[in-house]
Amino acid sequence: MSDIQYPLRGACQCGQLRYTLYAAPAKVVACHCKQCQKLSTSAFSITALVKADDVAFEGELAEWQRVAESGNKNYAKFCPQCGNRIYHYNPDAPEMIKLKAASLDDTRILQPTVHLWVSQKQDWYCIPDDVDVFDTQGGV
């Protein structure tokens, strides 16, 4: 994906919140856990792991918090107007965020190289052969 030129711009559904991504993600991950299926209302959720310093946000964000079964803190930032999730983060590791990059204007970076929680994936979805696969959290 060397033809992608940074920075990239993104926004929530209503446009109240905009952001700029200044550098490529460390990883792009597809998570198949039941929580991500609920979040995405689809078979999995795609997340770009980015350095918090590599993204700038403009507009109001609201926050929602939950603790995962593993005990990890999973906080979510979202648009208070349209409800669109923008990113997740762990307050104990704030240097990295989990950007919900489908909100980018240019989504070519959304090519997952890691699939997590495949033990909970939808039976009809076939994972590509050339990616890392983990039954649970693994690889991230």
Side-chain angles (χ1 to χ4, degrees), residues 68-79:
E69 288 180 30
S70 65
N72 289 335
K73 295 174 186 167
N74 192 6
Y75 291 17
K77 293 287 192 174
F78 62 94
C79 174

Side-chain angles (χ1 to χ4, degrees), residues 40-93:
S40 67
T41 68
S42 188
F44 53 87
S45 177
I46 298 177
T47 300
L49 300 176
V50 300
K51 292 179 185 174
D53 291 342
D54 287 345
V55 63
F57 299 96
E58 306 160 26
E60 185 181 352
L61 284 164
E63 184 173 279
W64 178 77
Q65 303 172 4
R66 78 175 177 92
V67 177
E69 288 180 30
S70 65
N72 289 335
K73 295 174 186 167
N74 192 6
Y75 291 17
K77 293 287 192 174
F78 62 94
C79 174
Q81 288 184 20
C82 66
N84 197 193
R85 293 263 181 108
I86 302 301
Y87 71 92
H88 291 196
Y89 72 101
N90 180 339
D92 297 331

Side-chain angles (χ1 to χ4, degrees), residues 8 41 44 62 82 92 98 101-102 106 110 113 130:
L8 297 177
T41 68
F44 53 87
C82 66
D92 297 331
K98 303 167 194 167
D106 180 350
L110 298 182
T113 57
D130 61 342

Side-chain angles (χ1 to χ4, degrees), residues 4-57:
I4 295 176
Q5 299 294 313
Y6 291 87
L8 297 177
R9 299 276 295 156
C12 64
Q13 284 182 297
C14 73
Q16 178 275 140
L17 177 93
R18 298 218 33 97
Y19 66 92
T20 303
L21 178 63
Y22 292 99
K27 286 184 185 180
V28 177
V29 177
C31 183
H32 297 264
C33 78
K34 296 298 181 189
Q35 289 296 320
C36 281
Q37 290 178 34
K38 288 180 182 183
L39 165 66
S40 67
T41 68
S42 188
F44 53 87
S45 177
I46 298 177
T47 300
L49 300 176
V50 300
K51 292 179 185 174
D53 291 342
D54 287 345
V55 63
F57 299 96

